[in-house]
Amino acid sequence: MNDRAPAPGELALVEALVNTLDVETGADSLDTEAGRTAFGLAETDVPAARELREALRAACLAHAGHDVSTAPLDRLLAAAPLLVAVDGAGAASLRPADPGALASRVAAAIATATADGTWLRLKACEAEDCRWAYYDRSPAGRSRWCTMAVCGSRAKMRKYRAGRAKSS
């Protein structure tokens, strides 16, 4: 959808999962073998992955200032156990208890992103016909659209036309 650089680190997994659905066209890459393989999913895992995807999209919308429920994501991540791993240097990190489980990998990515301060910058585009996830790299963290060239321009043109219509 856009040409922004992907989210940093493990947060790229979350961004990629949210972006498996093109809201405008309805195309869902989880319907394809390549899309399922990218996330290590069997066909039977797809309904749960879709539920997780939409719960993540809601969180991304919340990060963009929308009043949405994040309870579904909270519920899904509660069932995704994590373990604390300590490396040879004594540094601790979280890792999925089941590395094959998508929800556990997502939970670990969110925990890491929360710790490094990047989680709240993963947002969903304001455009209702887009909702693409993007990583907000703006200094103030106030980006509203996945791309100014498409979604931002459309929104500004709609606002402009609505203003012109009122003044006519």
Side-chain angles (χ1 to χ4, degrees):
M1 269 289 173
N2 66 64
D3 56 357
R4 286 182 184 249
E10 296 175 28
L11 201 51
L13 169 70
V14 178
E15 180 182 36
L17 179 59
V18 173
N19 291 341
T20 58
L21 176 67
D22 182 331
V23 173
E24 188 172 22
T25 66
D28 187 344
S29 67
L30 294 179
D31 288 336
T32 68
E33 184 65 33
R36 290 187 297 274
T37 301
F39 296 97
L41 300 173
E43 253 185 89
T44 56
D45 299 327
V46 171
R50 284 189 177 119
E51 182 182 13
L52 179 59
R53 174 185 65 203
E54 296 312 313
L56 288 165
R57 188 182 318 279
C60 291
L61 284 166
H63 296 167
H66 293 264
D67 186 23
V68 295
S69 174
T70 56
L73 182 59
D74 193 43
R75 177 183 52 78
L76 292 168
L77 296 181
L82 299 175
L83 301 173
V84 176
V86 180
D87 66 15
S93 64
L94 291 174
R95 65 178 175 82
D98 176 5
L102 181 59
S104 291
R105 290 183 286 149
V106 165
I110 291 172
T112 300
T114 299
D116 67 22
T118 58
W119 169 236
L120 295 177
R121 285 195 173 246
L122 187 64
K123 299 178 178 182
C125 182
E126 290 275 318
E128 290 183 18
D129 59 348
C130 180
R131 299 298 195 216
W132 201 253
Y134 67 94
Y135 186 76
D136 183 356
R137 287 185 164 74
S138 68
R142 291 190 227 164
S143 286
R144 297 177 56 198
W145 300 286
C146 64
T147 176
M148 189 60 204
V150 178
C151 293
S153 291
R154 286 178 185 170
K156 289 183 176 203
M157 185 55 71
R158 283 185 200 116
K159 185 176 180 179
Y160 171 78
R161 287 181 180 156
R164 298 266 303 178
K166 284 182 183 178
S167 65
S168 306

